[in-house]
Amino acid sequence: MAGSNALRPSMGCLSRLGAPPLVRSARPSAPRTAAAALAFSTTAPQCKRKKTKDNNKKRGVSSLYGSGPREHLSMSDVPLPKPRDFKPKVAVDDKHGLWGFFPAPGKLLWTPKETEEHGRAWTVEELRRKSWEDLHALWWACCKERNMLATGKVELARGKLGFGEREFDTRDVEVQTTMQAIKHALTERYYTWQDAVEVARSDPEIDFDSRDGQVYKPSAYEDDLEMSDSWAAEAESATPEKEATPQKEATR
């Protein structure tokens, strides 16, 4: 048995036969009003923004100032964990030589005020009176001081502290001035020693080519001294006789 759709003639066949087309009866559409257009519009209506202070929930939260959120959270009453105050016990020699690179054993840096507390540099006039041992000790004290200042500058740059560099440079200038004065005094002594060597080469009592290690030989003047002593004795003995003759003549 054929279905109902098969009995219905197609629209093309009906148009060829001249039959009026089948038209569905429908109610006439009502005119579209502005209210209906607004009710079924897909565009969001333009409305004014709510007058609130701030809608950001994280406003005021700062790790720098330690401020938390405004709302009370479930973990707000839980205390935060603190790092353990642990210092390993390591056997350290307080008299170790490497402590010379630091201001004191266990102290990394000086404060700017402590760095500025230093005296003036030594002058050449003061160093001329010092012995070789004193100048030698002062030179190595300056070297130790410069090593300590250089270590402090490295620590300032590594820690990015931003202070103390000017104080370190000022102190380093005073130390370098002292070292230059030490060189000046030693150079003067070296030139004086060279002049003394030239004078000694013309002295018969000094023999630089001696093989026995004895450079000073005072025996070279012994004969001259004996001759000078004999001449002095003869002069003393002859002087009274010469003076006595005019006195005798004067008494006559």
Side-chain angles (χ1 to χ4, degrees), residues 25-182:
S25 62
R27 293 167 55 182
S29 60
R32 191 174 185 182
T33 62
L38 181 62
F40 293 97
S41 177
T42 57
T43 304
Q46 296 181 358
C47 60
K48 295 183 179 180
R49 188 174 181 180
K50 296 180 180 180
K51 295 182 179 181
T52 56
K53 293 183 179 180
D54 197 350
N55 291 329
N56 189 0
K57 295 181 180 181
K58 294 184 179 181
R59 181 72 65 191
V61 179
S62 174
S63 60
L64 180 62
Y65 297 102
S67 59
R70 299 177 181 179
E71 297 81 4
H72 186 79
L73 304 179
S74 60
M75 300 295 292
S76 298
D77 298 332
V78 178
L80 296 176
K82 296 182 180 181
R84 182 183 177 188
D85 188 9
F86 173 73
K87 294 182 179 180
K89 296 181 180 179
V90 181
V92 179
D93 186 10
D94 294 338
K95 297 182 180 180
H96 198 278
L98 291 178
W99 286 119
F101 290 93
F102 300 94
K107 188 172 183 179
L108 181 62
L109 283 174
W110 273 334
T111 61
K113 183 178 179 181
E114 292 175 344
T115 308
E116 287 185 341
E117 294 177 352
H118 60 83
R120 61 172 178 82
W122 287 78
T123 61
V124 180
E125 291 76 10
E126 295 171 342
L127 296 176
R128 288 191 183 115
R129 307 173 185 177
K130 299 296 181 180
S131 62
W132 165 256
E133 290 77 11
D134 293 341
L135 294 178
H136 185 78
L138 182 58
W139 175 267
W140 286 112
C142 293
C143 291
K144 180 180 177 181
E145 185 80 5
R146 293 205 67 197
N147 287 332
M148 187 270 296
L149 295 175
T151 304
K153 290 181 181 179
V154 173
E155 291 298 327
L156 287 178
R158 184 180 64 85
K160 297 180 180 179
L161 302 179
F163 63 87
E165 186 175 357
R166 181 189 63 81
E167 289 79 4
F168 274 95
D169 292 338
T170 304
R171 186 164 185 152
D172 194 15
V173 169
E174 297 295 333
V175 177
Q176 292 186 42
T177 304
T178 300
M179 299 179 76
Q180 292 176 359
I182 293 173

